[in-house]
Amino acid sequence: EESRLCNEGWGKIASMSWESLEGFLQAIEISLRFHWKERFEWIMKTRYEKYKQIERVNRKIAKIFLDTGDIASSLMFLDKDKNSDDDDDDVKTRIDDICEITNTDIEEIRKCYQLGGRMWIPAIAVKEIVRACKDSFKIRDGRKKISLISSSLNRGGAERQLAYTFRGLNREIFDCELVVQRMDNRGNGETYEELIGEYRNSTVELAELEIPDVVERTKNDVDLRLLDLLPETTKKNILGLIEKFKQEEPDLVHCWQDETILSASIASIIC
């Protein structure tokens, strides 16, 4: 049923893309945001010739690519625009700013699209964060501090294994803390809190903490504008974890789930 409704919706979008420029641009943006590669390619193959002579259409396509995170494709369409050197152009200004923040040569981006590749803004932001972060906490002597990180403790395979790991670690050797966004992200009351038993007091919910918009100086001097180039939820998670890691200075950060691994990895190297 969902597939049928999706196909019906796309049929309407495809029809709109033939009727007007706005419909064409909306079809491009929707196909990119939903990662519908084949549909995007079909729209460009069958519609682009009709609209490409309209003034600034390439710049509008460039903006869509930039808004969806692909700076290489954005620059490619900006280069096609005859007026791309206009100083008042928002897309060009944004690309220049991203290059400055991420320490990226615009010719590197141009070469990327010329070779048929894409370059994602979050990827070059993370690359620059990694490059800039050279210092880290020293491993303490004696009992080691471990932070186990997860999005929640809701019932699921990873969460169950996390609960068993947290409960099973030898507290004489390790000082353990469990950090989650919320214990119950789903709000249905179904969690593995009972599995961690007596160690419930060694857990922290980041959602309950007051997270500052601006992080005070960390061990590594990182341009925090780089975090603005990441998805908003990722940025928020990183800021919360930075504050936590600055307080606890864990010797080991052990993460579960893809998004949590990304956020915690970035936060830990910044600290």
Side-chain angles (χ1 to χ4, degrees), residues 10 26 33 41 72 75 78 85 87 89 110 120 140 142 148 153 171 193 195 209 241 243:
W10 175 252
Q26 288 176 9
R33 289 195 181 279
E41 291 175 347
L75 181 61
L78 190 64
D85 291 330
D87 292 334
D89 180 61
R110 188 167 279 116
W120 299 100
R140 56 172 54 83
L148 288 86
L153 214 58
R171 263 47 181 194
E193 287 188 66
L195 291 182
L209 302 179
L241 288 168
E243 288 302 304

Side-chain angles (χ1 to χ4, degrees), residues 245-264:
F245 294 159
K246 283 169 59 182
Q247 295 170 15
E248 302 297 333
E249 298 188 2
D251 299 297
L252 174 66
V253 176
H254 187 46
C255 313
W256 302 69
Q257 301 116 358
D258 292 344
E259 170 61 30
T260 306
I261 291 171
L262 176 62
S263 301

